[in-house]
Amino acid sequence: MLRGATFVRHAMPEVDATRPPGEWILSSDGINAAAALQLEALAASAVSSPERKAVQTVALALRLPESAVATAVSFREVDRVESVHDGFRDARRAWIAGRLDERHEGWETPDAAARRFHEGLLAQDARHVVVGTHGMVLTAWLASQGLVADAVAFWEALRFPDVVEIGIPLLRVRAVLTDADGRFVLIKRARPGQEPYWTTPGGGVMLDDASADDALRRELHEELGAEVELGEIVLERQLDSIHSEVFYAARLTSIDPTLADGPEFDDPSRGAYEVEVVTLDELRTLDLRPSELKELLLAQR
């Protein structure tokens, strides 16, 4: 089962206007930079985008012949119709930010790119995999998993080449949060055309979070404007082969909704988020998800 992934953004290629970018090979500086990564100690399985510059980068970093690097189209760069012009980077920034317009006609959407990248990762059966890939599609996937807070800033900071390490399972953290009266602080989710349901507050652990505890405190501040005291883990569950979720007991010490500034509040497509405080009796009547958490809470009271 996959326990870790090392993503390698390819090194600098030799630009060749007579060939499509997928056939570009590394420049001499790119070859040296890829070899300097020295990832051979990982003893990992190797897979890459089919683009030659990505295959070369992984092979050099792992001290392998190119023939030893498997290829998977899931890890290719974003499909797009693009010419290099004065504003091409602005168009890419807008794509990464999810602000698609007429410049992106014929482009793969960020969601579609992230989805097929994710499917490619799910297909890996090694314990650790090194993935040769590209800046835009990698950033889209990391953002879709909640692993980066500012996707544009992350993408702009990526180097040629660059390395991003993640541990697996990817962790989501949530709080079974109670106030001074023992009531549960929940998030009511309402989406057009669907019945409402309730969840506990929390979210994904980002690459720059120091720990799962820090990630949960950050999420509670973003979603609720809350400060809390964290307690023990009350539930752990595996979501799929690369995601798990942990629920912590937590006690509310202060809350100021005016401080809530999570990204979900800026995206109407996600539906409505409402903070509700409910008693145990009220909890019995709600569609609290996941259902096993509701069963656990009712059994303990």
Side-chain angles (χ1 to χ4, degrees), residues 50-285:
E51 295 194 27
R52 180 77 189 284
K53 55 185 176 284
V55 175
Q56 278 185 289
T57 301
V58 171
L60 288 163
L62 290 172
R63 302 291 195 271
L64 294 174
E66 289 181 39
S67 59
V69 179
T71 59
V73 294
S74 298
F75 302 122
R76 70 187 184 276
E77 184 56 296
V78 174
D79 297 332
R80 63 194 187 278
V81 178
E82 181 186 54
S83 58
V84 177
H85 52 79
D86 288 345
F88 82 97
R89 285 190 65 84
D90 288 338
R92 293 182 182 183
R93 288 187 194 96
W95 184 91
I96 289 166
R99 299 192 301 270
L100 305 189
D101 55 36
E102 66 278 359
R103 294 172 296 178
H104 304 103
E105 272 190 49
W107 290 40
E108 188 176 19
T109 67
D111 285 347
R115 191 180 312 116
R116 49 95 166 162
F117 192 100
H118 189 71
E119 289 169 355
L121 197 57
L122 290 176
Q124 304 306 309
D125 57 7
R127 186 169 181 82
H128 193 106
V129 64
V130 174
V131 178
T133 189
H134 308 267
M136 292 173 67
V137 68
L138 174 60
T139 301
W141 181 77
L142 292 170
S144 76
Q145 300 301 307
L147 292 170
V148 293
D150 186 331
V152 174
F154 176 86
W155 173 71
E156 291 188 319
L158 281 174
R159 298 162 295 181
F160 291 96
D162 215 336
V163 176
V164 178
E165 300 265 5
I166 65 166
I168 292 174
L170 300 176
L171 186 60
R172 295 176 182 172
V173 286
R174 295 193 174 277
V176 180
L177 182 59
T178 54
D179 65 10
D181 297 319
R183 299 175 299 174
F184 297 100
V185 182
L186 303 176
I187 305 290
K188 180 181 178 181
R189 297 294 313 278
R191 301 178 187 228
Q194 299 181 23
E195 291 295 316
Y197 64 93
W198 285 256
T199 67
T200 53
V205 178
M206 292 187 176
L207 293 176
D208 56 358
D209 285 321
S211 66
D213 285 8
D214 285 347
L216 184 52
R217 293 181 192 279
R218 173 185 52 75
E219 287 284 347
L220 294 174
H221 190 273
E222 289 179 357
E223 291 189 355
L224 307 174
E227 301 295 332
V228 304
E229 291 181 359
L230 294 181
E232 299 296 319
I233 292 173
V234 297
L235 177 66
E236 297 181 68
R237 66 185 194 130
Q238 193 76 25
L239 300 178
D240 59 30
S241 63
I242 65 170
H243 292 98
S244 65
E245 190 169 45
V246 176
F247 295 80
Y248 291 80
R251 187 175 70 84
L252 184 67
T253 58
S254 69
I255 187 168
D256 182 353
T258 65
L259 299 177
D261 62 353
E264 58 270 19
F265 298 108
D266 299 325
D267 186 354
S269 68
R270 297 190 182 189
Y273 288 71
E274 299 176 21
V275 179
E276 290 196 352
V277 180
V278 304
T279 65
L280 180 63
D281 286 340
E282 291 168 332
L283 178 65
R284 297 178 192 278
T285 68

Side-chain angles (χ1 to χ4, degrees), residues 283-286 288 290-298:
L283 178 65
R284 297 178 192 278
T285 68
L286 303 182
L288 177 65
S291 58
E292 55 260 50
L293 177 64
K294 179 178 178 179
E295 294 169 3
L296 177 66
L297 296 177
L298 293 177

